[in-house]
Amino acid sequence: MADVTYYVALPFRASDEGVVAGEPAECQSASGAIRRAEALARLDENAGAVAFSRTGDPMIGEFQDAVLIKAFGEVPSEFAGF
């Protein structure tokens, strides 16, 4: 099977330990993930959100590292600057 690219919007919520990941939402495209992440970041319960992609072969479970597309609001430091 050929590699597949998944696009994801991931919200973050504020907690006593800082910001923690919420429930990821799979999207159809990079632009869809950006729009969804921006909308998630605007919700009162979320501190921020990111849009990212992952490419790999789901049949064998091998994936490349996630590629950050865009970040909105307060996100963990490893996502800052996008």
Side-chain angles (χ1 to χ4, degrees):
M1 180 176 197
D3 284 350
V4 175
T5 300
Y6 294 95
Y7 299 97
V8 179
L10 179 65
F12 291 93
R13 295 191 170 106
S15 76
D16 292 339
E17 295 82 36
V19 289
V20 296
E23 188 69 31
E26 190 173 335
C27 302
Q28 296 290 323
S29 65
S31 61
I34 291 169
R35 286 191 303 273
R36 184 74 179 267
E38 185 174 18
L40 288 168
R42 290 182 181 179
L43 295 176
D44 288 340
E45 65 264 22
N46 295 328
V50 296
F52 68 92
S53 66
R54 282 195 77 194
T55 300
D57 186 339
M59 295 298 289
I60 60 174
E62 288 186 7
F63 287 88
Q64 298 171 11
D65 290 340
V67 175
L68 186 63
I69 301 169
K70 193 156 187 179
F72 299 92
E74 185 181 344
V75 297
S77 59
E78 59 265 29
F79 299 111
F82 287 87

